[in-house]
mmCIF file of all heavy atoms in Angstrom:
data_model
loop_
_atom_site.group_PDB
_atom_site.id
_atom_site.type_symbol
_atom_site.label_atom_id
_atom_site.label_comp_id
_atom_site.label_asym_id
_atom_site.label_seq_id
_atom_site.Cartn_x
_atom_site.Cartn_y
_atom_site.Cartn_z
ATOM 1 N N PRO Z 432 51.093 9.307 -76.864
ATOM 2 C CA PRO Z 432 50.940 8.747 -75.516
ATOM 3 C C PRO Z 432 52.146 8.993 -74.613
ATOM 4 O O PRO Z 432 52.001 9.144 -73.408
ATOM 5 C CB PRO Z 432 50.732 7.253 -75.783
ATOM 6 C CG PRO Z 432 51.323 7.015 -77.129
ATOM 7 C CD PRO Z 432 51.090 8.274 -77.898
ATOM 8 N N GLN Z 433 53.357 9.030 -75.216
ATOM 9 C CA GLN Z 433 54.561 9.332 -74.428
ATOM 10 C C GLN Z 433 55.045 10.768 -74.657
ATOM 11 O O GLN Z 433 56.086 11.162 -74.135
ATOM 12 C CB GLN Z 433 55.709 8.356 -74.779
ATOM 13 C CG GLN Z 433 55.530 6.958 -74.210
ATOM 14 C CD GLN Z 433 54.577 6.123 -75.046
ATOM 15 O OE1 GLN Z 433 54.635 6.143 -76.278
ATOM 16 N NE2 GLN Z 433 53.694 5.392 -74.376
ATOM 17 N N THR Z 434 54.307 11.526 -75.437
ATOM 18 C CA THR Z 434 54.603 12.927 -75.766
ATOM 19 C C THR Z 434 56.051 13.115 -76.222
ATOM 20 O O THR Z 434 56.743 14.032 -75.794
ATOM 21 C CB THR Z 434 54.309 13.855 -74.564
ATOM 22 O OG1 THR Z 434 55.176 13.552 -73.478
ATOM 23 C CG2 THR Z 434 52.869 13.756 -74.133
ATOM 24 N N THR Z 435 56.522 12.245 -77.109
ATOM 25 C CA THR Z 435 57.885 12.360 -77.621
ATOM 26 C C THR Z 435 57.913 13.242 -78.868
ATOM 27 O O THR Z 435 56.874 13.498 -79.496
ATOM 28 C CB THR Z 435 58.447 10.979 -77.984
ATOM 29 O OG1 THR Z 435 57.656 10.421 -79.051
ATOM 30 C CG2 THR Z 435 58.416 10.036 -76.788
ATOM 31 N N VAL Z 436 59.108 13.672 -79.235
ATOM 32 C CA VAL Z 436 59.276 14.510 -80.425
ATOM 33 C C VAL Z 436 58.790 13.775 -81.671
ATOM 34 O O VAL Z 436 58.090 14.336 -82.509
ATOM 35 C CB VAL Z 436 60.750 14.930 -80.584
ATOM 36 C CG1 VAL Z 436 60.953 15.679 -81.899
ATOM 37 C CG2 VAL Z 436 61.192 15.791 -79.414
ATOM 38 N N ALA Z 437 59.163 12.488 -81.800
ATOM 39 C CA ALA Z 437 58.785 11.710 -82.976
ATOM 40 C C ALA Z 437 57.274 11.609 -83.109
ATOM 41 O O ALA Z 437 56.731 11.686 -84.219
ATOM 42 C CB ALA Z 437 59.406 10.313 -82.897
ATOM 43 N N GLN Z 438 56.587 11.430 -81.998
ATOM 44 C CA GLN Z 438 55.128 11.334 -82.047
ATOM 45 C C GLN Z 438 54.504 12.660 -82.489
ATOM 46 O O GLN Z 438 53.513 12.668 -83.212
ATOM 47 C CB GLN Z 438 54.594 10.915 -80.676
ATOM 48 C CG GLN Z 438 54.915 9.469 -80.330
ATOM 49 C CD GLN Z 438 54.634 9.126 -78.881
ATOM 50 O OE1 GLN Z 438 54.366 10.003 -78.061
ATOM 51 N NE2 GLN Z 438 54.710 7.845 -78.560
ATOM 52 N N TRP Z 439 55.087 13.774 -82.080
ATOM 53 C CA TRP Z 439 54.566 15.087 -82.488
ATOM 54 C C TRP Z 439 54.862 15.384 -83.956
ATOM 55 O O TRP Z 439 54.125 16.144 -84.581
ATOM 56 C CB TRP Z 439 55.126 16.181 -81.590
ATOM 57 C CG TRP Z 439 54.347 16.303 -80.305
ATOM 58 C CD1 TRP Z 439 54.620 15.713 -79.117
ATOM 59 C CD2 TRP Z 439 53.143 17.051 -80.111
ATOM 60 N NE1 TRP Z 439 53.666 16.041 -78.187
ATOM 61 C CE2 TRP Z 439 52.748 16.857 -78.763
ATOM 62 C CE3 TRP Z 439 52.350 17.861 -80.923
ATOM 63 C CZ2 TRP Z 439 51.612 17.453 -78.227
ATOM 64 C CZ3 TRP Z 439 51.211 18.454 -80.391
ATOM 65 C CH2 TRP Z 439 50.851 18.245 -79.061
ATOM 66 N N HIS Z 440 55.915 14.764 -84.530
ATOM 67 C CA HIS Z 440 56.133 14.899 -85.981
ATOM 68 C C HIS Z 440 54.890 14.456 -86.737
ATOM 69 O O HIS Z 440 54.434 15.120 -87.670
ATOM 70 C CB HIS Z 440 57.321 14.025 -86.434
ATOM 71 C CG HIS Z 440 58.660 14.543 -86.018
ATOM 72 N ND1 HIS Z 440 58.909 15.874 -85.796
ATOM 73 C CD2 HIS Z 440 59.831 13.880 -85.791
ATOM 74 C CE1 HIS Z 440 60.181 16.024 -85.442
ATOM 75 N NE2 HIS Z 440 60.751 14.835 -85.427
ATOM 76 N N GLY Z 441 54.329 13.313 -86.333
ATOM 77 C CA GLY Z 441 53.153 12.780 -86.999
ATOM 78 C C GLY Z 441 51.955 13.712 -86.893
ATOM 79 O O GLY Z 441 51.183 13.860 -87.848
ATOM 80 N N VAL Z 442 51.800 14.373 -85.745
ATOM 81 C CA VAL Z 442 50.693 15.312 -85.536
ATOM 82 C C VAL Z 442 50.754 16.448 -86.556
ATOM 83 O O VAL Z 442 49.751 16.788 -87.209
ATOM 84 C CB VAL Z 442 50.716 15.882 -84.105
ATOM 85 C CG1 VAL Z 442 49.717 17.034 -83.960
ATOM 86 C CG2 VAL Z 442 50.414 14.789 -83.085
ATOM 87 N N PHE Z 443 51.935 17.035 -86.716
ATOM 88 C CA PHE Z 443 52.059 18.201 -87.607
ATOM 89 C C PHE Z 443 52.048 17.805 -89.081
ATOM 90 O O PHE Z 443 51.573 18.580 -89.919
ATOM 91 C CB PHE Z 443 53.308 18.998 -87.236
ATOM 92 C CG PHE Z 443 53.194 19.683 -85.897
ATOM 93 C CD1 PHE Z 443 54.057 19.371 -84.852
ATOM 94 C CD2 PHE Z 443 52.195 20.609 -85.654
ATOM 95 C CE1 PHE Z 443 53.935 19.984 -83.605
ATOM 96 C CE2 PHE Z 443 52.061 21.230 -84.425
ATOM 97 C CZ PHE Z 443 52.927 20.916 -83.394
ATOM 98 N N TRP Z 444 52.553 16.609 -89.427
ATOM 99 C CA TRP Z 444 52.438 16.152 -90.812
ATOM 100 C C TRP Z 444 50.973 15.917 -91.202
ATOM 101 O O TRP Z 444 50.548 16.250 -92.308
ATOM 102 C CB TRP Z 444 53.244 14.857 -91.023
ATOM 103 C CG TRP Z 444 54.666 15.112 -91.417
ATOM 104 C CD1 TRP Z 444 55.788 14.848 -90.692
ATOM 105 C CD2 TRP Z 444 55.122 15.678 -92.652
ATOM 106 N NE1 TRP Z 444 56.926 15.223 -91.378
ATOM 107 C CE2 TRP Z 444 56.539 15.735 -92.593
ATOM 108 C CE3 TRP Z 444 54.483 16.155 -93.800
ATOM 109 C CZ2 TRP Z 444 57.316 16.235 -93.636
ATOM 110 C CZ3 TRP Z 444 55.251 16.657 -94.838
ATOM 111 C CH2 TRP Z 444 56.654 16.690 -94.754
ATOM 112 N N LEU Z 445 50.221 15.346 -90.285
ATOM 113 C CA LEU Z 445 48.793 15.139 -90.544
ATOM 114 C C LEU Z 445 48.100 16.482 -90.767
ATOM 115 O O LEU Z 445 47.286 16.625 -91.691
ATOM 116 C CB LEU Z 445 48.150 14.414 -89.362
ATOM 117 C CG LEU Z 445 46.629 14.188 -89.443
ATOM 118 C CD1 LEU Z 445 46.261 13.325 -90.647
ATOM 119 C CD2 LEU Z 445 46.115 13.550 -88.151
ATOM 120 N N GLY Z 446 48.420 17.486 -89.955
ATOM 121 C CA GLY Z 446 47.851 18.819 -90.125
ATOM 122 C C GLY Z 446 48.196 19.421 -91.475
ATOM 123 O O GLY Z 446 47.350 20.059 -92.121
ATOM 124 N N PHE Z 447 49.435 19.219 -91.923
ATOM 125 C CA PHE Z 447 49.876 19.743 -93.225
ATOM 126 C C PHE Z 447 49.028 19.165 -94.367
ATOM 127 O O PHE Z 447 48.540 19.902 -95.229
ATOM 128 C CB PHE Z 447 51.348 19.400 -93.449
ATOM 129 C CG PHE Z 447 51.865 19.754 -94.817
ATOM 130 C CD1 PHE Z 447 52.215 21.058 -95.126
ATOM 131 C CD2 PHE Z 447 51.996 18.783 -95.800
ATOM 132 C CE1 PHE Z 447 52.689 21.394 -96.382
ATOM 133 C CE2 PHE Z 447 52.458 19.106 -97.064
ATOM 134 C CZ PHE Z 447 52.808 20.416 -97.362
ATOM 135 N N VAL Z 448 48.832 17.859 -94.348
ATOM 136 C CA VAL Z 448 48.059 17.199 -95.409
ATOM 137 C C VAL Z 448 46.613 17.708 -95.422
ATOM 138 O O VAL Z 448 46.065 18.036 -96.483
ATOM 139 C CB VAL Z 448 48.097 15.670 -95.220
ATOM 140 C CG1 VAL Z 448 47.130 14.983 -96.189
ATOM 141 C CG2 VAL Z 448 49.514 15.141 -95.427
ATOM 142 N N ILE Z 449 45.990 17.785 -94.249
ATOM 143 C CA ILE Z 449 44.594 18.230 -94.163
ATOM 144 C C ILE Z 449 44.449 19.669 -94.650
ATOM 145 O O ILE Z 449 43.536 19.999 -95.423
ATOM 146 C CB ILE Z 449 44.079 18.094 -92.715
ATOM 147 C CG1 ILE Z 449 43.970 16.615 -92.342
ATOM 148 C CG2 ILE Z 449 42.731 18.788 -92.544
ATOM 149 C CD1 ILE Z 449 43.647 16.369 -90.884
#
Side-chain angles (χ1 to χ4, degrees):
Q433 286 80 43
T434 64
T435 63
V436 174
Q438 289 169 350
W439 277 94
H440 287 333
V442 170
F443 291 118
W444 271 113
L445 177 61
F447 174 79
V448 172
I449 292 172

